[in-house]
Every structure is written in C-alpha cells, then in structure tokens.
C-alpha cells in the first residue's frame, strides 16, 4: 500500500510496483490508509511523512497502537533528506525522489512474489 497525498507521485510509484507484478493499494492520507487497513492488511506500507489530515508520522503512531497492525512492515518516504529520521522512527526511509532500484530491493525483501517475506 502506498500512502501519498501527491496524486502524480502516488500513481508513478504505484505503476512501478504494479509493473513488477505486485498489487498496489492507494491512499491519499493516513485516514484513508487506516480505513483500507480495516479491509485488507498489506505486505508493505509505504507512507509519505508529510501529508495533510493525518501525517505519515501520525499514521505510524496509530499502527503501533493497534495489535493487528504492529507487524506490517512500514517504510517512510520523505523529501526531508534527514538521515536520522529512520532511526528516530525505527523504520527504513526512502528519500524523494524515489530511487527505483532501492524500491525494487525493498519490494523483493518484504513482498517476494510466490514466497514468504524475509525476516527484517
């Protein structure tokens, strides 16, 4: 699942994910993501950190409060270029613009086609 308020970026990243054979769910905000999680749990959640309504940081906080969502791998996406951000949030961070080979590696790690995700 990709959670990104920028329509063009959300669509572009989703297309890259889908071109690799994955199904990608979309959400424009943390609120939409929480609603979608009630229907189906993703193998990986990519969340923009800076969004209106509910930020990716707030979304991550809510995920950590909900027992059903604790084990969803989350990767933050940000243009902040803050190397310590991932350490502070305890999640991997993809810098924007998104490095497609790094995104592909992350997908292969957490969402291997035809197999089980590797241990983090």
């Amino acid at each position: 699942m990709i959670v990104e308020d920028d329509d063009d970026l959300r669509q572009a990243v989703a297309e890259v994910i889908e071109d690799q054979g994955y199904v990608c769910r979309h959400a424009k905000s943390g609120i939409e993501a929480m609603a979608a999680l009630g229907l189906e749990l993703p193998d990986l959640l990519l969340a923009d950190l800076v969004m209106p309504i509910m930020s990716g940081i707030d979304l991550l906080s809510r995920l950590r409060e909900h027992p059903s969502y604790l084990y969803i791998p989350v990767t933050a996406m940000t243009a902040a270029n803050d190397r310590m951000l991932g350490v502070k949030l305890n999640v991997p961070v993809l810098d924007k613009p998104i490095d497609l080979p790094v995104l592909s590696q992350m997908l292969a790690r957490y969402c291997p086609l035809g197999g089980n995700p590797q241990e983090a």
Side-chain angles (χ1 to χ4, degrees), residues 63-85:
L63 293 175
R64 290 178 174 162
E65 293 171 356
H66 197 290
S68 297
Y69 306 151
L70 280 175
Y71 300 104
I72 298 171
V74 176
T75 296
M77 300 184 301
T78 185
N81 232 357
D82 180 353
R83 294 288 167 214
M84 290 305 295
L85 190 57

Side-chain angles (χ1 to χ4, degrees), residues 20-74:
Q20 293 185 35
Y22 299 97
V23 173
C24 185
R25 306 283 183 240
H26 306 237
K28 293 181 182 181
S29 69
I31 296 286
E32 279 189 21
M34 290 299 295
L37 289 172
L39 302 173
E40 181 180 6
L41 297 180
D43 294 316
L44 176 65
L45 191 141
L46 302 170
D48 183 13
L49 292 181
V50 180
M51 296 181 290
I53 304 170
M54 180 192 289
S55 73
I57 294 171
D58 292 337
L59 173 61
L60 182 58
S61 176
R62 291 212 183 164
L63 293 175
R64 290 178 174 162
E65 293 171 356
H66 197 290
S68 297
Y69 306 151
L70 280 175
Y71 300 104
I72 298 171
V74 176

